Amino acid sequence: MNTEQRPAPGAKPVPTRGEARIRRALLVSLAALAVGVVLAGVGYLLTRPPASVPVAEAEIALPQVAPAPEAPGAAAAPTTPPTVLFTDITQAAGIDFVHENGAYGERLMPETLGSGAAFFDYDRDGDQDLLLVNSREWPGHETLPEQPTMRLYRNDGSGSFEDATAGSGLDFADYGMGVAIGDVDGDGWDDVYLTSLNANRLLRNLPAPGGGRRFEDITDAAGVAGRDDAWSSSAVFFDYDKDGDLDLFVVNYVKWSRDIDLAIDFRLTGLGRAYGAPVNFIGTDNLLYRNDGLGDDGNPRFTDVSAAAGIRVADPVTGNPVGKGLGVVALDYDGDGWQDLVVVNDTVRNFLFRNLGDGRFEETAILDGVAYDRNGKGTSAMGVDTAHFRNDAELGIAVGNFANEMASLFVTTDGRPPFVDEAVLEGLGPASRIPLTFGLLFFDYDLDGREDLLLANGHLEHEIDKVQQSQRYAQPAALFWNCGDACGASFVFVPPTPAAVGDLAQDLVGRGIAYADIDGDGDLDVLITQNGRRPALLRNDQALGHHWLRLALIGRPPNTGAIGARIELTAGGTTQVRDVRPTRGYLSQVERPVTFGLGALADPAAVSIRVIWPDGSEQTHTPTALDTTLTLRQGGGDA
């Protein structure tokens, strides 16, 4: 929805977003031209023969773009990021998890990529609990008395956690990768799907003997294990056929084995054997499982419909699968009411699966402009997220890429594809080029009503600085503050200084990333997993006085979590759009409640809410209070 307002009579016209984009493009082009002229002049001056007549040099001034004029009577919006300190509370909060990747010196590729995390309210007590995915030591190279397991932490409501793994059904060892959360049986309790280097697992949330909850492995009954030799990465629950229950899409990476890895014998000069690149491995096909409801035993049954649904993509020359997928997000990018999929691939083109509404998908990434980067090349893509980050009709798809590949930001034009990579124009270019990005998320960290962007960074090689001076194994996360129209036709995303973000600026070997309001204060706290290390749980200590509203939706069974619903919140003439889409980023899951920042707006009567439920029905609501969590039940108002 386009929420731009007309200027008052006598006011200078405010540039439209399209005009602003043209001016930004012109600015970049003129700047590049000016730099080229300067460099050419310098080259000529260094190589030209002596001249008898001195040449006067003229200064080249780059064009200046004034910020967009403000609406009459409006307060001046800030154009520099606010100070919002994040505090590392990992140990203080009771999180003692350490990721085990099994590395013993052979530099096997799976050791570099894991793993994910999920915030979800598994016991339905109103606060967000935490699941951390773990890997294990390699067979024949065990050094620990017991192999590490997945870890489940129960939130006490204040942001402190208690280890609840023992007896939970999650206390098993596996070479885990990613996690997806969804109510697959429609009983109102969130179930867990875990991807791994081997067979995947579906665990159903059930009552525990004596009280509490436990997770029961129903993988075989449900039929969603996948192949024993497949390397699965991300997964997402979504209702692709609009029959009311949650289907499952599983992303697979490359065809890998220890023998293949050692035979390739990938090396870096100065380091010796190094972790292999995906270009040396054959791709794999992803999997789509249709939820066919409950069987006689009460467990859900799934059917593999990958071939019939058209989500297999083969190389026309070799016949091998093209995909080397790491990240996935479900969304309705074309607004037709059907859930589509974006899959980002490592070193090959990305996929955009358009849902045709008849059980089939059409792969349209090349046609719609999200297959390649701005130079027409496939990137080493890991994480992905989407947002209406301008609070208008335009949809952005952000992709985290490898070191020395800037992040991608594909944006629609007039609310429709094709997408154009505007990472440079929107300010992500130079600041995101050097780091190696895995997870990334849109979220409104300062509650000003605009979604910002956070990148989790970290390299693969411990000693990469020996061969690339610009690189380090541990790297700080990159936060980009969304300054919106306050920056006029210049950059929308601005990186804060390290001093303005506190412990978020620490060096991490970042991989998965998730957020939740763990302490009930309304702002979003962040967890970043590390490869082979402890995660970093970062409490958001913003104190800007901004107001907020959180919405928790309860859908009709079987999709009780209302996954796929859209929420539009209008306040002060601006409409913010959020989807209930907890699977995002990289191997991970954010909380399901949706947070809206309201800035200085303090009147709940000025806020209106419109919910488009997954089945297309609509509901409106006007809150009676702000700075609270509002629970809405489909068809029944407040819950």
Side-chain angles (χ1 to χ4, degrees):
M1 178 183 298
N2 193 321
T3 60
E4 293 181 356
Q5 301 183 35
R6 297 179 182 273
K12 294 182 179 179
V14 178
T16 66
R17 175 60 66 177
E19 291 169 342
R21 293 167 69 183
I22 294 172
R23 290 170 64 182
R24 287 199 302 275
L26 178 60
L27 172 61
V28 172
S29 299
L30 291 176
L33 178 61
V35 171
V37 170
V38 171
L39 292 176
V42 171
Y44 172 75
L45 290 173
L46 293 175
T47 57
R48 68 181 176 89
S52 57
V53 180
V55 178
E57 298 182 7
E59 293 186 0
I60 300 176
L62 297 181
Q64 301 295 316
V65 179
E70 301 165 8
T79 57
T80 56
T83 295
V84 174
L85 300 181
F86 287 82
T87 303
D88 190 332
I89 62 168
T90 312
Q91 292 186 351
I95 306 298
D96 59 354
F97 173 89
V98 178
H99 176 249
E100 173 62 59
N101 62 11
Y104 60 90
E106 285 193 329
R107 303 292 177 107
L108 301 177
M109 192 176 177
E111 298 166 3
T112 66
L113 296 185
S115 58
F119 281 115
F120 72 122
D121 186 6
Y122 85 95
D123 53 3
R124 290 198 344 197
D125 64 352
D127 49 47
Q128 298 300 309
D129 309 301
L130 175 62
L131 172 61
L132 291 163
V133 181
N134 212 346
S135 301
R136 57 165 296 156
E137 293 183 296
W138 295 106
H141 297 273
E142 294 93 343
T143 63
L144 300 172
E146 295 183 1
Q147 288 303 302
T149 71
M150 314 298 139
R151 295 288 285 277
L152 178 66
Y153 291 92
R154 182 188 301 115
N155 189 341
D156 69 359
S158 70
S160 293
F161 293 83
E162 175 189 1
D163 192 334
T165 309
S168 67
L170 294 167
D171 47 351
F172 60 86
D174 197 358
Y175 209 98
M177 286 286 155
V179 56
I181 306 294
D183 180 8
V184 298
D185 52 5
D187 66 353
W189 297 87
D190 280 331
D191 310 299
V192 174
Y193 187 77
L194 293 167
T195 64
S196 82
L197 187 61
N198 310 114
N200 305 319
R201 302 191 193 214
L202 177 62
L203 299 113
R204 188 179 177 193
N205 189 338
L206 294 170
R213 307 298 296 182
R214 65 181 176 87
F215 291 88
E216 179 179 287
D217 192 332
I218 61 167
T219 311
D220 291 340
V224 291
R227 293 167 53 99
D228 287 342
D229 61 351
W231 182 355
S232 298
S233 52
S234 294
V236 59
F237 286 111
F238 74 128
D239 184 8
Y240 86 94
D241 52 4
K242 295 181 71 170
D243 64 352
D245 52 31
L246 293 179
D247 310 298
L248 174 64
F249 186 86
V250 181
V251 179
N252 289 326
Y253 191 36
V254 296
K255 184 178 180 180
W256 180 90
S257 72
R258 178 177 176 273
D259 291 341
I260 295 174
D261 202 328
L262 295 177
I264 290 173
D265 197 24
F266 187 78
R267 293 179 179 271
L268 286 175
T269 303
L271 292 184
R273 177 163 168 80
Y275 288 111
V279 293
N280 299 311
F281 295 85
I282 295 173
T284 58
D285 285 320
N286 302 313
L287 296 171
L288 176 63
Y289 295 102
R290 185 186 65 219
N291 189 333
D292 290 331
L294 302 181
D296 293 338
D297 59 358
N299 289 318
R301 296 288 190 270
F302 289 82
T303 300
D304 184 345
V305 295
S306 307
I311 54 95
R312 293 178 177 173
V313 182
D315 186 303
V317 176
T318 66
N320 292 325
V322 172
K324 300 178 181 182
L326 286 176
V328 62
V329 66
L331 75 166
D332 180 11
Y333 79 95
D334 54 2
D336 64 354
W338 295 87
Q339 291 288 298
D340 313 298
L341 292 164
V342 176
V343 179
V344 294
N345 291 305
D346 195 353
T347 69
V348 298
R349 66 184 178 89
N350 301 320
F351 298 152
L352 178 57
F353 292 110
R354 178 173 175 262
N355 192 333
L356 299 178
D358 59 359
R360 296 178 301 124
F361 289 82
E362 178 185 15
E363 205 288 291
T364 65
I366 295 177
L367 178 66
D368 285 331
V370 300
Y372 303 107
D373 69 4
R374 64 196 59 77
N375 298 314
K377 297 180 180 178
T379 61
S380 297
M382 269 79 78
V384 59
D385 198 8
T386 73
H388 289 272
F389 66 93
R390 293 174 180 157
N391 288 338
D392 62 9
E394 307 303 349
L395 175 68
I397 301 175
V399 180
N401 295 319
F402 201 76
N404 302 312
E405 293 178 340
M406 65 181 66
S408 303
L409 182 60
F410 302 104
V411 185
T412 56
T413 301
D414 296 327
R416 305 288 297 177
F419 293 79
V420 176
D421 189 349
E422 296 193 1
V424 173
L425 297 178
E426 299 290 10
L428 298 182
S432 70
R433 186 178 66 84
I434 297 299
L436 196 165
T437 299
F438 277 86
L440 83 173
L441 290 174
F442 285 104
F443 76 129
D444 184 2
Y445 78 95
D446 59 344
L447 300 177
D448 65 352
R450 299 185 297 269
E451 291 202 88
D452 314 295
L453 185 62
L454 178 62
L455 281 58
N457 303 319
H459 212 280
L460 308 179
E461 299 288 347
H462 293 71
E463 300 175 305
I464 189 63
D465 58 306
K466 292 184 177 180
V467 294
Q468 294 185 40
Q469 293 184 355
S470 64
Q471 292 297 322
R472 296 291 185 274
Y473 181 54
Q475 303 174 359
L479 180 63
F480 292 89
W481 176 67
N482 185 343
C483 70
D485 288 336
C487 290
S490 59
F491 299 149
V492 170
F493 290 104
V494 180
T497 64
V501 297
D503 292 337
L504 190 60
Q506 67 182 302
D507 289 339
L508 301 170
V509 187
R511 294 297 186 261
I513 183 171
Y515 65 70
D517 178 13
I518 63 172
D519 48 11
D521 63 356
D523 54 36
L524 295 173
D525 312 293
V526 173
L527 181 130
I528 298 176
T529 68
Q530 295 198 78
N531 190 52
R533 299 184 179 186
R534 295 180 183 274
L537 179 60
L538 299 153
R539 187 184 63 214
N540 186 334
D541 290 330
Q542 68 86 25
L544 301 173
H546 288 166
H547 295 283
W548 50 272
L549 189 64
R550 286 166 54 81
L551 275 80
L553 301 188
I554 300 177
R556 292 195 183 101
N559 185 5
T560 60
I563 291 178
R566 171 159 293 187
I567 307 172
E568 298 175 354
L569 183 147
T570 301
T574 298
T575 297
Q576 301 179 51
V577 177
R578 304 280 193 276
D579 293 336
V580 180
R581 186 171 36 82
T583 301
R584 56 175 69 186
Y586 174 74
L587 306 180
S588 298
Q589 176 107 2
V590 305
E591 64 173 359
R592 197 168 62 242
V594 176
T595 296
F596 291 90
L598 299 172
L601 190 145
D603 181 9
V607 177
S608 63
I609 298 166
R610 175 178 178 238
V611 178
I612 301 97
W613 297 93
D615 63 2
S617 62
E618 297 187 11
Q619 200 167 325
T620 60
H621 186 85
T622 299
T624 58
L626 302 181
D627 303 333
T628 188
T629 298
L630 177 64
T631 301
L632 295 181
R633 187 182 301 275
Q634 186 173 4
D638 292 22

